[in-house]
Amino acid sequence: MRAPTFAFALALAFALLTVAGSASAAPFTYDPPGGLVAGSGKGRVDLKVYAPGIRFPIEQGPAFANSQVWGHGGNSGPASTEQCDAENFSYPWHDNYCETRAYSMPLCPAGNGHQGQDIRAASCKKGVHATVAAVDGTITSIGSYSVYLTAADGTRFDYLHMQDVAVKVGQKVKRGDPMGKVSNQFGGEATTVHLHFNIHQNVAGVGAVYVPTYLSLVQSYETLLDPTPDAGTDAAPPPPPPPPPPVIQQTPASSDPVPPPPAEDAADSGCTVTRPAPAPLFGLALGLAALGMIAARRRR
Amino acid sequence: MRAVLGIAFVCLAATALGCNDNTAATVGAQPVSTATSRLTQGAVTWPDASKVDERAIAALAAPRSDGSSAIGSRELSALIARSPVPVLAPSRVVLASPSLVVEGEYFALSGRVDGATIALQGTRAAHRYEGLEPVAGDRVLRATKGFVSVNEGIRTASWMENGAAYSVDVECADLVNDARCASDDFLLSIVAQLTYVGGSGR
């Protein structure tokens, strides 16, 4: 009887370690909104969620929001590297709305900049990772490398650089419906394999403009990673889920103005995860229960 | 007993490892503003019915010489009649495979011209954000101020007209060699030639 019991204990221990290990392997962290890659321009520090409750536009995680131009393999990225570099596929996320560009962007501090957010899927393979509709709406235009999905209020969600487009102009889609595959289509040229995602919205006092995308994506990604019955599923109703207070990690790469300094130094704590994980508490409870059993037996 | 001790040890070890997941890594927690906006409906002003450009309507419904589909004239009339904002359409450029979508607070017209995709949209719903200051456009478009931008090679113009927000996008299939996407000229010519073709307030 002892051998099976010991084997069971080992199996349980391994399972617990696996849970704890996997939870800490790829914790989701993100830089603050407006914290662009150093030297890539001045971001917009804005905590508003311009499209609350959207479905994350890539079907499955992990996914990585960062700059395709200033990342590995980009025109302004680190020299002698390529787009499949592991750093491009790691956390934390980086905002790249308002990253340096030449044309008007009225909501950017510099008056010009990048219109949306670059998102890499789980790998650098093109034509593999599915994109999905962020909202219920209608496909209003398909260009050679763009697909526009428009919600009833006129807010438009732009999906760029896809291949295997799965929708047609005029088609009504539901939140979570397939849109295409993440790729590198770019008007006869090739860009890195990523989804460029815009939110184009009529803002009172400004007009129809590209609004900040980053925190809408953060919120939707957190829901994708940790769905609840009321949020993030295809069947979920449009009202936004109550967002958890964001925990924002600052990385040293950014030299742009960012929100207030950290309350505690992450390096000192030795912990980097921003999402609560149940595994440690479960492990603590089990451990204490086992010690309790030992104590009870000794008393007998 | 050994098994229980083993479980106790490993569970506590897992707890220690789990530190990575939920301890004081919190850095600069900040509230996200989720009461994001108040959706308002613009007071749409309708052009006089005499200004409806029947030729532009006919161009959307006319058979295409290149064999691409047009919008059936009945369907087109019905769609235009439902639009909550005045529908604008090109008066000189003929769109191949045109499509008109009318939903909720907006209309969207799209089609192709020799390898370039034109996408026009008008909406009356505006998102009003607290603390977001008005910004005036830096370009003159259709006798008002607007914006011209380039998004991944896609040229976009936006402006306010008739109490609604309009935008036009031009995207070239051959971004390198198509001169229409090398400057704003083609985009601005599309914006300038838009004419009123109707709507629910017609």
Side-chain angles (χ1 to χ4, degrees):
Chain A
M1 285 295 286
R2 280 192 173 182
T5 307
F6 191 66
F8 171 76
L10 276 178
L12 179 61
F14 180 74
L16 282 169
L17 281 172
T18 304
V19 169
S22 64
S24 61
F28 173 47
T29 57
Y30 58 97
D31 275 358
L36 307 186
V37 171
S40 69
K42 188 174 174 63
R44 179 181 175 91
V45 179
D46 189 339
L47 297 181
K48 286 188 282 296
V49 177
Y50 285 81
I54 62 170
R55 203 294 189 185
F56 189 69
I58 296 179
E59 185 180 33
Q60 295 178 334
F64 306 96
N66 52 45
S67 170
Q68 71 89 23
V69 169
W70 291 80
H72 296 277
N75 289 336
S76 301
S80 304
T81 57
E82 51 92 38
Q83 62 169 309
C84 295
D85 190 288
E87 192 177 0
N88 284 347
F89 300 87
S90 65
Y91 302 129
W93 279 17
H94 306 288
D95 189 359
N96 81 322
Y97 176 83
C98 292
E99 187 178 82
T100 300
R101 298 290 190 280
Y103 278 83
S104 284
M105 277 285 288
L107 299 187
C108 290
N112 50 44
H114 188 238
Q115 289 83 353
Q117 178 66 47
D118 297 331
I119 311 169
R120 299 179 207 264
S123 79
C124 60
K125 291 180 182 169
K126 65 178 183 178
V128 171
H129 305 287
T131 60
V132 294
V135 292
D136 292 353
T138 307
I139 305 302
T140 51
S141 175
I142 298 179
S144 56
Y145 57 94
S146 72
V147 175
Y148 294 169
L149 163 62
T150 307
D153 70 351
T155 298
R156 198 183 77 195
F157 300 87
D158 302 351
Y159 294 67
L160 271 56
H161 312 308
M162 292 193 300
Q163 68 178 73
D164 303 336
V165 171
V167 290
K168 293 178 179 175
V169 177
Q171 181 180 336
K172 286 184 167 63
V173 296
K174 289 287 186 187
R175 188 175 186 271
D177 281 353
M179 294 281 285
K181 299 280 176 62
V182 177
S183 190
N184 62 350
Q185 307 297 303
F186 197 13
E189 292 186 300
T191 179
T192 59
V193 177
H194 72 284
L195 175 69
H196 174 109
F197 186 73
N198 296 323
I199 304 173
H200 192 250
Q201 193 174 73
N202 180 22
V203 175
V206 185
V209 292
Y210 298 99
V211 296
T213 308
Y214 190 65
L215 282 184
S216 301
L217 289 169
V218 167
Q219 191 185 73
S220 65
Y221 189 63
E222 286 182 325
T223 304
L224 177 71
L225 295 179
D226 186 14
T228 65
D230 296 326
T233 63
D234 294 348
V247 178
I248 298 172
Q249 183 180 357
Q250 174 77 62
T251 60
S254 174
S255 63
D256 292 307
V258 293
E264 182 173 344
D265 189 344
D268 290 343
S269 75
C271 299
T272 56
V273 174
T274 59
R275 297 175 60 243
L281 288 178
F282 181 60
L284 179 63
L286 268 179
L288 290 175
L291 286 175
M293 286 173 63
I294 293 167
R297 283 193 178 197
R298 281 186 176 164
R299 275 199 296 274
R300 275 188 232 139
Chain B
M1 178 64 84
R2 274 186 199 166
V4 175
L5 273 172
I7 291 172
F9 172 77
V10 173
C11 287
L12 291 172
T15 303
L17 283 174
C19 156
N20 274 346
D21 279 342
N22 70 347
T23 53
T26 305
V27 181
Q30 299 171 54
V32 166
S33 167
T34 50
T36 53
S37 69
R38 188 162 53 88
L39 197 59
T40 59
Q41 239 180 41
V44 171
T45 56
W46 290 89
D48 190 272
S50 65
K51 293 193 173 175
V52 169
D53 187 338
E54 299 291 352
R55 283 195 312 170
I57 298 174
L60 290 172
R64 283 3 195 196
S65 57
D66 63 359
S68 67
S69 60
I71 308 174
S73 56
R74 280 189 185 173
E75 180 192 3
L76 180 62
S77 298
L79 283 168
I80 290 174
R82 277 187 16 225
S83 176
V85 297
V87 178
L88 305 180
S91 60
R92 297 193 299 275
V93 163
V94 176
L95 298 175
S97 304
S99 170
L100 179 63
V101 172
V102 177
E103 294 287 342
E105 308 292 332
Y106 75 93
F107 81 90
L109 173 66
S110 67
R112 298 200 178 208
V113 182
D114 299 328
T117 303
I118 313 290
L120 163 67
Q121 184 172 322
T123 182
R124 66 179 176 180
H127 291 256
R128 189 173 299 280
Y129 292 97
E130 196 172 325
L132 204 155
E133 297 296 321
V135 183
D138 56 0
R139 300 287 285 267
V140 175
L141 303 169
R142 299 177 64 82
T144 186
K145 287 195 169 179
F147 302 98
V148 174
S149 191
V150 180
N151 165 42
E152 305 286 296
I154 302 169
R155 289 180 184 263
T156 303
S158 64
W159 69 97
M160 299 295 296
E161 184 175 345
N162 305 317
Y166 291 88
S167 64
V168 173
D169 290 13
V170 173
E171 172 186 341
C172 293
D174 185 351
L175 197 53
V176 178
N177 300 308
D178 194 330
R180 293 173 298 179
C181 286
S183 80
D184 295 336
D185 294 348
F186 181 66
L187 170 70
L188 297 178
S189 76
I190 297 290
V191 171
Q193 69 178 268
L194 296 174
T195 59
Y196 173 58
V197 297
S200 61
R202 178 180 172 180

